[in-house]
Amino acid sequence: MDAGSWIRDFAYGLRLLRKNFGFTALAVLTLALGIGATTAVFSLVNAVLLRALPYRDPGRLVFLWEPVPKLADVPLEGWGIFNGDFYDWKKQSRSFDGLALFTTDRINLSVGRSAVRVIGSRVTGEFFPLLGIAPELGRAVTADDDRPGKGQVAVISHGLWESRFGSDRGVLGKELQLDAKPYRIVGVMPAGFAFPHGTESLETHGKATDIWIPWAMTPEEAAARDDDPGNGIARLRPGVSAKQAQAELNVITASLDKLHPQFFQGCEAVARPFDVEITGTSRRTLLILMGAVFLVLLIACSNVASLVLARAQGRALEVGVRTALGASRWRMVRQLLAESLCLGGAGGILGVLAASLAIRLLMHVSPGNVPRIEETSMDGRVLLFAVCVSVVTAVLFGMFPALSTSQCNLHEVLKSSANRTVKKSAGRWLRGLAVAQVALTFVLLTGSGLLIRSLLKVQSVDNGFTANSTLTMGIRLDDRYRRANQMNGFFRNVIDGAGALPGVEAVAVINQLPLGGGERLSTLEIEGHPPDGKTLFESRDITPRYFAAMGIPIVAGRAFTEADTSGSPRVAIVSRSLASKYFPRQNAVGKRLRGDDNWRTIVGVAADVRQYNLEAAPPMQVYSPLWQSGTPSASVVVRTKLPPDRLASAMQTLVRQIDPAVAVADVGTMGQLLSRATAARRFQTLLLTAFAGVALFLSLVGLFGLMACLVEQRTAEMGIRMALGAQPGSVLRLILRQGSKLAFAGIALGFACSWASTRALASLLFEVTPTDVPTFLAVAFAFAFAAVALAACYIPARRATRVDPMVALRCE
């Protein structure tokens, strides 16, 4: 078998496909949809899960945490490593080639007269050598910098270098102010490096780092075991696994347990592979989406296989004649496969173009918290995947029709007309493919239905506040504001200035905004209840008018007033859930509780508020007057009659007038925060629903094509029936009955497959079970599928009733 014969086969196949333009266009477009969707999702998987991290030998990198298991309500990302334990791990562990600590926080950056908020990271001296990343300019933070009095240097990101310094290669040595402290720029990191990315911190989730500075701990800080401000990373020694390293660290940690305060005793070490932790929850989501898009590709394959098989049956006479002239079965199979490969190649080329457009659309609708999604591109691996998918698809949809058609009984072919030569096996294949398409589509529709119901339930939860017309902005004060009265004075000026702006109804300050990306959990002692040291409460410091600004109802007692200052009695407001648990059938107002400070008297009960996310029940909450404590970092909330975006500029100008060195960040509305809280779920739902919509379209096209083919093959039968007196209505019912059997057989099979497979979606659902009966019934019987499936059968059936009996008999 030489290359020339293959070339001739392809040339002949191209001529036939060009001659049958309608069939070719439909098949190529169908394949382009399937291959394009698959390639686009694979490009996401490639960028997030498959592409190697840009670090030296990333497979040996691990994340380290030190959680306290008895405090189960704190997520793992909320636990860092106690400084004293970290340095003991470095001394005693034999599993690592190096360990480093880092923090992630918002800081004020001042260059000249302007100030902006950026994400900064304090790092120990081993941080950059451990990752194996060299700066593009200058040098990185070193161990020599990581000492008290030596740490006034900074390394900036490539993005900050471009945006704030105009890519000036003379930036090294320039001074900038970070939280009102002078730092000298010693390095610029290469483009694409922005670790930590924020997924490792509850406070700055989804943010990339702009500046790195040395931690430079004092001896007292390095020995502390009552706080865990930093996250840890380490490089494993060759041949050591993350589990082995964790086991060793647990032994060391257990030996240090008595050195911790009682509250933090019982802590454990956790070591996880770097790549697994960076991808986080997106790994499971992307794999589910990849599985869904493969179902779309299978539907496209079965659709084209049906078209090819139906078309091949019309060529039975041609195949019979060629066989009679001496063509072998393999020769016929090869010819038919060449035609399929031509279709697959054309579909693949068009699919790659569609995928490149789809990737741009995905970047536009991305929720922004999928790690490394910005690296999505059509690289060599994605193109190779597209080629392989195109070839495999072509073979998959071409092999069965080729084998079926090549099994030719020459005697039967020559004594029958071409339009009557229909093998029973081919008919069974056509019907089986139609049923499979409907079943696979049912699975995808059920999955998208479950996600849609989950999204609707998330959007309908009671978040506890009124998002409309509420403007927010974040402010962080630097070290010039050391005392509580200085901090309070600054925020009083902001409140007074904002209250004088036109259209402002209420202004307040809170230290951590609901849905703003942070939690502040602590234990409390409730008067009359023994403290258990395990139950965690969410605490917030607020100014008067906060509940009015946020639209949070006070259900009992009163809100804070300007009289609740540092010199007045300590007071608190608790959430309804706390009052119900600890003071059932009682009035919580007048009761007392205590945290780290003195006893506080409860003066009010407020509605529960979902502070961290919308999908977890809000923990019990305690509000304290901000004027009694002070805070350097807070958010201003403004309720306004005007559109909030019109007020944003005036608020920023107000802060600059009070102190030009204080930066404003995260200016937006509570409505935007609500939208951001559901962005990831909307992204998942949008993609799976889009795949289900494509699958529905393809399966309906396939069902329509099959019924049209069957009607054409039974033209003579329809003519004879009508010549013998059959009414058009009976012929219509006959064809519809045949199509309905296929549609409902597919629905029944899809129902069973969905019942077994939707459990894979359990982690993506909210207040919906994977076997949610209303969703299954809606997909099966609503107009979304069953009605349109019958409509796909109706048009060919209607055409059958218009057959002229004389024309049909004359064709015989």
Side-chain angles (χ1 to χ4, degrees), residues 7-327:
I7 294 175
R8 288 191 295 272
D9 286 339
F10 280 113
Y12 179 70
L14 288 172
R15 287 197 301 271
L16 285 178
L17 295 176
R18 187 168 59 248
K19 182 179 178 181
N20 297 274
F21 180 78
F23 161 80
T24 302
L26 182 58
V28 169
L29 289 175
T30 299
L31 290 174
L33 280 174
I35 294 173
T38 307
T39 303
V41 174
F42 178 78
S43 66
L44 286 178
V45 174
N46 177 53
V48 178
L49 303 181
L50 301 182
R51 190 176 294 162
L53 295 170
Y55 311 124
R56 174 174 57 87
D57 198 3
R60 288 167 52 198
L61 293 174
V62 293
F63 268 100
L64 301 175
W65 289 278
E66 195 175 9
V68 180
K70 65 183 179 182
L71 302 175
D73 293 334
V74 182
L76 183 62
E77 293 80 7
W79 293 106
I81 302 175
F82 298 101
N83 293 346
D85 288 5
F86 170 78
Y87 285 104
D88 282 325
W89 288 1
K90 286 186 64 176
K91 293 176 184 177
Q92 301 181 38
S93 174
R94 298 295 179 265
S95 298
F96 304 106
D97 277 339
L99 295 91
L101 278 179
F102 66 89
T103 65
T104 310
D105 201 1
R106 296 175 174 88
I107 58 177
N108 291 334
L109 164 65
S110 299
V111 180
R113 295 184 177 181
S114 62
V116 295
R117 286 277 292 279
V118 297
I119 303 299
S121 180
R122 290 185 296 163
V123 300
T124 57
E126 303 89 344
F127 181 81
F128 288 104
L130 189 147
L131 292 175
I133 297 293
E136 181 176 339
L137 294 177
R139 67 175 179 85
V141 173
T142 66
D144 187 58
D145 299 318
D146 189 27
R147 293 186 296 169
K150 296 280 188 177
Q152 299 305 108
V153 299
V155 177
I156 64 176
S157 69
H158 191 276
L160 188 65
W161 178 51
E162 289 181 330
S163 63
R164 304 298 298 181
F165 298 96
S167 301
D168 178 14
R169 300 188 70 83
V171 71
L172 301 181
K174 287 189 175 181
E175 186 177 280
L176 47 76
Q177 297 282 323
L178 299 178
D179 284 341
K181 293 181 180 179
Y183 284 81
R184 178 171 51 89
I185 299 174
V186 297
V188 178
M189 297 307 294
F193 178 81
F195 179 82
H197 307 91
T199 54
E200 307 80 23
S201 170
L202 294 178
E203 306 298 327
T204 56
H205 193 74
K207 305 288 185 179
T209 301
D210 301 298
I211 292 180
W212 297 263
I213 59 177
W215 195 316
M217 293 186 197
T218 64
E220 293 76 18
E221 290 175 327
R225 301 182 198 271
D226 59 352
D227 194 9
D228 52 354
N231 295 102
I233 55 174
R235 179 172 292 278
L236 296 169
R237 291 185 184 276
V240 178
S241 69
K243 289 185 178 180
Q244 291 172 326
Q246 178 173 320
E248 182 193 38
L249 290 180
N250 274 331
V251 173
I252 299 172
T253 305
S255 68
L256 305 171
D257 195 50
K258 296 299 182 183
L259 301 178
H260 293 92
Q262 184 176 2
F263 182 75
F264 292 117
Q265 288 182 2
C267 54
E268 297 177 351
V270 173
R272 289 188 179 176
F274 207 70
D275 57 345
V276 172
E277 190 55 37
I278 282 183
T279 55
T281 56
S282 61
R283 174 179 294 269
R284 184 175 182 83
T285 299
L286 288 177
L287 292 179
I288 289 174
L289 291 176
M290 196 68 204
V293 82
F294 268 122
L295 292 184
V296 174
L297 183 61
L298 284 176
I299 292 171
C301 287
S302 63
N303 198 331
V304 177
S306 299
L307 293 173
V308 172
L309 186 57
R311 176 173 173 269
Q313 295 308 305
R315 297 172 60 188
L317 184 59
E318 172 199 342
V319 173
V321 171
R322 295 182 68 178
T323 303
L325 294 176

Side-chain angles (χ1 to χ4, degrees), residues 288-373:
I288 289 174
L289 291 176
M290 196 68 204
V293 82
F294 268 122
L295 292 184
V296 174
L297 183 61
L298 284 176
I299 292 171
C301 287
S302 63
N303 198 331
V304 177
S306 299
L307 293 173
V308 172
L309 186 57
R311 176 173 173 269
Q313 295 308 305
R315 297 172 60 188
L317 184 59
E318 172 199 342
V319 173
V321 171
R322 295 182 68 178
T323 303
L325 294 176
S328 65
R329 185 186 181 194
W330 165 241
R331 183 69 182 80
M332 298 307 304
V333 169
R334 196 180 72 189
Q335 173 62 59
L336 295 171
L337 276 179
E339 296 176 24
S340 298
L341 288 171
C342 290
L343 286 175
I349 294 172
L350 194 58
V352 168
L353 296 177
S356 62
L357 295 176
I359 289 172
R360 295 180 185 178
L361 180 61
L362 288 175
M363 295 300 100
H364 182 70
V365 300
S366 166
N369 59 358
V370 179
R372 308 181 70 195
I373 194 171

Side-chain angles (χ1 to χ4, degrees), residues 12 214 256 319 339 389-390 436 513 581 594 640 646 656 678 770:
Y12 179 70
L256 305 171
V319 173
E339 296 176 24
V389 166
S390 301
L513 196 66
K581 178 176 180 179
R594 180 171 64 179
T640 173
R646 291 176 55 185
R656 283 196 297 268
T678 59

